[in-house]
Amino acid sequence: MDFSKGFNVQLATLFGIGKIPGGGTWASLIVLIIALYEQNAETASFLAFLSLIVGPNAYRKLIALFDSEDPKEYVLDEVIGTVSYTHLTLPTKRIV
């Protein structure tokens, strides 16, 4: 991982996953696995909150490096979508 471009760029590409072919699919799969493993609202809420707070700034920094308005390397939108979907549809664990 090359952190010379900043932590926001690394987070926007999900630590390089966005740079591999099918990066958005892989990012969604990783987040889905985390959500299935955890199955609690706190983890999904934390991931969504982190993505929504950091996402816009990370996007601005990433588009400065690429010519496209919607670079394929930016995968936080897939993270937000997957987290939102799993948060709304998966049953949560009961802590007794």
Side-chain angles (χ1 to χ4, degrees), residues 54-96:
V54 176
N57 189 35
Y59 177 74
R60 281 191 293 278
K61 292 191 185 240
L62 191 67
I63 61 169
L65 300 173
F66 296 97
D67 295 332
S68 174
E69 280 291 315
D70 186 20
K72 66 178 181 63
E73 291 84 2
Y74 183 77
V75 294
L76 280 184
D77 51 348
E78 281 88 358
V79 170
I80 293 169
T82 304
V83 166
S84 300
Y85 177 76
T86 57
H87 184 55
L88 294 173
T89 59
L90 288 177
T92 57
K93 291 181 182 176
R94 291 191 161 199
I95 301 174
V96 179

Side-chain angles (χ1 to χ4, degrees), residues 30-51 79 83-84 86-87 92-93:
I30 288 171
V31 171
L32 181 63
I33 289 170
I34 291 170
L36 288 172
Y37 178 74
E38 289 293 325
Q39 287 189 9
N40 65 27
E42 291 84 14
T43 302
S45 297
F46 173 75
L47 288 172
F49 176 76
L50 182 68
S51 298
V79 170
V83 166
S84 300
T86 57
H87 184 55
T92 57
K93 291 181 182 176

